[in-house]
Amino acid sequence: MKINTDFLGIGWSFPPEFNQTEGKLAMTTDVEDINNSLMILLSTRPGERVMFPDYGCDLQEMLFKPLDLTLITQMKGIIERAILYHEPRINILSIEIDAQEELEGEVLIQINYEVRNTNTRSNMVFPFYKGEATEI
């Protein structure tokens, strides 16, 4: 028996891509659409979207703070709240922060979740860069 996943919706691919031969915008569905939505949510600062001023996840505030247990706990709370309010299709199972590459300016955020109504488990990794991209 196939599970109906129509409630997950269809969205633009992220970043937006165009199919030159068909002249159409590339679309995503199911878990891929959820992962794209999470990438957009985590990379958007609150206030950037004019019609949705509360949308986003304020990780940029953590940029120049020392990465200790307190900051990791605070980051997990910010991410959890943002997903709770803005991504109703999933339940968070865990959020893990990998700071092994912190000296290179990269922190990996792994979000393990299950899709509501289907109990399908999945995860996504969001690379949060602590340094500017100024190296040429």
Side-chain angles (χ1 to χ4, degrees):
M1 181 174 134
K2 184 169 173 19
I3 298 173
N4 184 4
T5 58
D6 290 345
F7 72 95
L8 294 177
I10 298 173
W12 287 19
S13 63
F14 181 75
E17 297 176 19
F18 295 92
N19 184 335
Q20 299 265 340
T21 56
E22 295 180 20
K24 293 182 180 179
L25 185 66
M27 305 298 275
T28 61
T29 60
D30 298 333
V31 173
E32 184 182 2
D33 186 44
I34 292 173
N35 286 341
N36 284 343
S37 177
L38 288 173
M39 291 292 278
I40 293 167
L41 177 63
L42 295 178
S43 60
T44 302
R45 292 181 182 177
E48 279 187 341
R49 295 186 77 176
V50 177
M51 300 302 285
F52 299 104
D54 296 333
Y55 182 85
C57 187
D58 206 6
L59 290 175
Q60 299 301 322
E61 287 294 316
M62 313 296 154
L63 199 56
F64 297 107
K65 295 181 180 179
L67 192 61
D68 56 7
L69 183 60
T70 303
L71 186 67
I72 289 173
T73 305
Q74 189 177 6
M75 287 173 71
K76 287 180 180 181
I78 289 171
I79 294 165
E80 192 172 343
R81 250 185 324 279
I83 293 172
L84 176 69
Y85 290 126
H86 302 291
E87 186 49 77
R89 300 175 289 182
I90 64 172
N91 292 322
I92 300 171
L93 300 175
S94 68
I95 298 173
E96 298 170 22
I97 297 182
D98 179 4
Q100 290 181 0
E101 301 295 324
E102 177 194 6
L103 295 177
E104 281 73 38
E106 180 182 56
V107 176
L108 298 178
I109 301 168
Q110 180 172 351
I111 302 168
N112 298 305
Y113 63 88
E114 72 178 357
V115 179
R116 293 182 182 176
N117 296 346
T118 65
N119 294 330
T120 305
R121 292 180 181 219
S122 187
N123 67 44
M124 62 96 52
V125 176
F126 178 77
F128 177 65
Y129 297 102
K130 291 186 60 132
E132 294 182 26
T134 56
E135 289 186 29
I136 297 178

